[in-house]
Amino acid sequence: MKLEFWSDIICPYCGLMDNRLRLALERFEHADDVQVVHRSFQVHPGLPREGVTQRQLLELHGISPARAEQLLAPIEAAAHAEGLETYHVLERTLGPTDHAHELLAFATDKGCGNEVWTAMFHAHFGSARNLWTQDQVLDFAAELGLDREETDRVLRERRYRAQVVADQREAERLGAHGTPFITLDATYAIPGAVGTDELLAAMTTAWKAAHPEPQPMQILGQAGGACAQDGCAVASRHPTP
């Protein structure tokens, strides 16, 4: 089963869903046969490169500090309840994530995409880390063991820029208006965050649809003569009452 997960590293619901996906896969009996593919979707591409605090961004949209607490505190509480001990949603800085997504696409080609996605969520929400400039992203990549010189060339050449843009256009074509957005076998869609149990149920539904259990055939007509390992017999068409 192919599970495609569109997200942005500054989306707090995406960080939750990355964790819930891991928890759901731990409980899914066919987890070894699930291909998880992370895809890019930038929710705030127009933010300044130096970043803006979450509080400032909310104020720009007319949301008061009190209302901000009401909106974001439950997300932090949910993260804590699910094992993410530190999860900064309100007290953090946000910025454009184009360079981060290009690194993630590069890491996917190197075979470590899923691990780097999770590490980036943990860095941003766990440590409120800024990953908006090429240098910030490059330092992060080097810490994870990716070759610094190769990664530097990839980022400065914008080698994955077209792929990042194509990812977002594909999500929008499928009907996504934001993140997180998950598809299962290109047949089922989950727009927005759902709980671990609901995600597991969706995965089970998609798996059963793609792997239907054999059903017994419907028998038509009366039983006739037949042969088996213990011999042959002629069925009576007029059984004795």
Side-chain angles (χ1 to χ4, degrees), residues 16-17 19-27 82 193-203:
L16 281 182
M17 286 303 294
N19 189 57
R20 289 170 183 173
L21 175 57
R22 178 183 60 80
L23 296 175
L25 286 171
E26 288 177 356
R27 297 164 53 191
E82 295 171 21
V194 297
T196 302
D197 289 345
E198 189 173 350
L199 177 57
L200 178 60
M203 292 165 57

Side-chain angles (χ1 to χ4, degrees), residues 104-232:
L104 292 163
F106 169 59
T108 297
D109 276 357
K110 300 292 283 186
C112 56
N114 292 348
E115 294 82 0
V116 176
W117 271 95
T118 296
M120 195 170 283
F121 280 128
H122 287 173
H124 180 60
F125 292 107
S127 304
R129 185 163 180 172
N130 297 343
L131 295 165
W132 327 135
T133 70
Q134 288 185 353
D135 287 341
Q136 290 169 343
V137 172
L138 180 60
D139 288 342
F140 175 77
E143 291 170 15
L144 295 181
L146 292 170
D147 183 84
R148 190 180 185 92
E149 291 186 4
E150 183 183 11
T151 306
D152 183 55
R153 287 195 300 272
V154 165
L155 293 176
R156 298 195 184 284
E157 293 172 5
R158 308 303 300 269
R159 197 176 300 176
Y160 288 88
R161 183 177 185 180
Q163 180 176 323
V164 169
V165 172
D167 272 1
Q168 184 145 348
R169 287 177 177 169
E170 175 64 9
E172 292 168 347
R173 184 190 70 80
L174 293 173
H177 299 290
T179 57
F181 182 76
I182 291 175
T183 62
L184 300 165
D185 278 341
T187 302
Y188 301 90
I190 305 174
V194 297
T196 302
D197 289 345
E198 189 173 350
L199 177 57
L200 178 60
M203 292 165 57
T204 301
T205 296
W207 179 270
K208 289 182 176 179
H211 305 82
E213 294 183 1
Q215 298 296 320
M217 288 186 178
Q218 182 178 0
I219 303 300
L220 300 176
Q222 297 179 353
C227 293
Q229 292 180 347
D230 57 352
C232 299

Side-chain angles (χ1 to χ4, degrees), residues 6-8 11 13-14 40-43 177-181 192-193:
W6 277 267
S7 63
D8 198 351
C11 163
Y13 289 111
C14 295
S40 297
F41 194 116
Q42 297 176 72
V43 294
H177 299 290
T179 57
F181 182 76

